Amino acid sequence: MATREVVPVLLQAMCRQDEDAGDDEYNVSRAAYQALQLYAQCVQGEVLQPVVTFVEENIRNEDWRRRDAAVAAFGAIMEGPEPSVLEPLIKQALSVLLGMMQDDSISVRDSTAYALGRVCDCCPEVLDPEVHLQPLISCLFNGLANSPKIASSCCWALMNVADRFAGDAGSQTNPLSKHFEDSVKSLLTVTERQDADNQLRTAGYEVLNSFVLNSANDSLPMVATLSDVIIQRLEHTIPMQQQVVSTEDRILLEEMQTSLISVILAIVQRFEVEIKPQADRIMSILLQVLQTLGPKSSVPDVVFATVGAIASALEDDFIKYMDSFSPFLYNALGNQEEPGLCAMAIGLVSDIVRALNEKVLPYCDSFMNLLLKTLQTPTNQLKPAILETFGDIAQAIGTNFDTYLAVVGQVLQQASSVTTSSDLPYDMVDYIVSLREGIMDAWGGILLSYKGTPSITQLQPFIESIFQLLHIISTESNRSEGLMRSAMGVIGDLADAFPNGELAAYFRNDWVTALVRETRTTRAYSERTIETARWTREQVKRQINMSTGMA
């Protein structure tokens, strides 16, 4: 009953568009569109009859506002009703929607592109690559080329098209392959257009990212060609730094560099280890970009992400770049005024130490000093990641971590003393859960690096505090799956690292068995977490049996 009363009101409100409204301006028609989206998610199939009737009555109306509302309404209900119910409607409407990409009204074309994107995003299984892919790509690229104002909608739709037709990861071919080269060339042309504003360029490069990440193996030669073009474009931005005379110039240049480096990141992620022949050139230009940037720039974020991907791909071969790159990493680690950049740097340290293993040893003193210094600041958001990074460093350098074990152990003991209470705000409770997960990840990495070596006895002074924290975790309801998986790993590794019953008294506690059982039987947890808990159960059983026998 309510649907028959509410939905028509929303549909009429959607006809009250402001032709001169900016992209970020909120008005009645946009509010009504969002309300219709949410209503469709709530009432599902009940929304179809009034919306379909409205669409049929207005899709060819002479008033552009009613055509625009009709096509927007169709896109709004793509999430809610069952795809099997929507399928015949979509197949019937698709040719009409594709034709509306030629509408005289730019607002209608914009709404049509967005509606096509909604179809690809919410009901991808309805689309047949043999029937729908070619016309979808053609009309969206035509819209992108002809109307910069609708660039963001066209690009969002194209990214959804790429996701829909990607096929299985790493496949030899996929439905995109036959369109891949033309699509890349079109996007390269769009991003170089003289009349293109920064929004169009940014959107075009985002689509390139999506096409690269979803490319099949038979498209990799074209991805390699694209790599040369993008690196060359990035190289051309370096001398442009000298031409910056205003804040607006700097913002435009940095947005362009961010977009270009984002494409390089996608290429590195797609090629993985096969990026090695181009790694020298990529690292060279990334270092040049870092050298020319001013303070408070957003570009280092994507540079660091790309460097992390290169390190993961090259593994210990990445060592040849460390002397040149490490000063930038050190500066970011010590930059307390930009916590976002500092967080990226902390994550990058983890990537690098996992890639280099013991070869990272010459840089560890600087890493550890900077990380420990950052821990002393009041910026809580960085602390869980820093503790986790301690574990990554320990795994990378093995018992060479002896140098840092005493101070790190003390830090982890202090962090374990942070407790929750019923009157804490939610964000503080979430922080404590994240902090405990960081503590467990740190001990997990340290245990793995010492397990099976004579140095394992150096961990005995910290065992009591580890079990105290595990006991606290077992008694509290605020726990994440990540925390429970890390806790299971630590319990199992402790049992495995001390196989002769040295810690048997701890494992006899009923709460240990109960915590493992609870984690193992929680259906909401992933298979990875449950498998970890199963392995831990076997380790704990062995300890309990051993202690029983000793008794």
Side-chain angles (χ1 to χ4, degrees), residues 268 272-280 283 307-321 354-356 359:
V268 173
E272 295 180 325
V273 69
E274 293 175 17
I275 200 66
K276 189 172 182 178
Q278 292 181 294
D280 284 357
M283 283 300 299
V307 171
I310 293 172
S312 298
L314 300 188
E315 296 185 332
D316 59 359
D317 285 342
F318 185 80
I319 189 66
K320 64 180 176 179
Y321 306 118
R354 284 195 294 263
L356 296 182
K359 286 187 178 181

Side-chain angles (χ1 to χ4, degrees), residues 8 166 175 213 234 361 488:
L213 290 171
L234 184 59
L361 199 55
M488 291 301 102

Side-chain angles (χ1 to χ4, degrees), residues 211-282:
F211 270 72
V212 167
L213 290 171
N214 289 299
S215 60
N217 291 342
D218 59 0
S219 297
L220 290 182
M222 187 62 201
V223 177
T225 301
L226 171 66
S227 176
D228 289 333
V229 174
I230 297 298
I231 292 171
Q232 190 174 53
R233 288 187 182 183
L234 184 59
E235 289 169 343
H236 289 163
T237 67
I238 301 301
M240 293 170 67
Q241 288 280 2
Q242 307 302 318
Q243 302 167 21
V244 170
V245 295
S246 67
T247 301
E248 184 180 358
D249 288 345
R250 181 176 64 81
I251 291 172
L252 289 173
L253 178 58
E254 291 189 358
E255 285 181 352
M256 185 187 301
Q257 289 179 325
T258 297
S259 294
L260 290 166
I261 297 169
S262 295
V263 179
I264 294 174
L265 171 59
I267 292 168
V268 173
Q269 290 171 329
R270 181 62 186 87
F271 273 115
E272 295 180 325
V273 69
E274 293 175 17
I275 200 66
K276 189 172 182 178
Q278 292 181 294
D280 284 357
R281 188 179 176 196
I282 293 173

Side-chain angles (χ1 to χ4, degrees), residues 453-471:
T453 73
S455 299
I456 190 65
T457 55
Q458 295 189 51
L459 300 187
Q460 286 185 319
F462 308 108
I463 299 300
E464 178 72 28
S465 65
I466 295 174
F467 274 96
Q468 284 176 353
L469 179 56
L470 287 167
H471 187 209

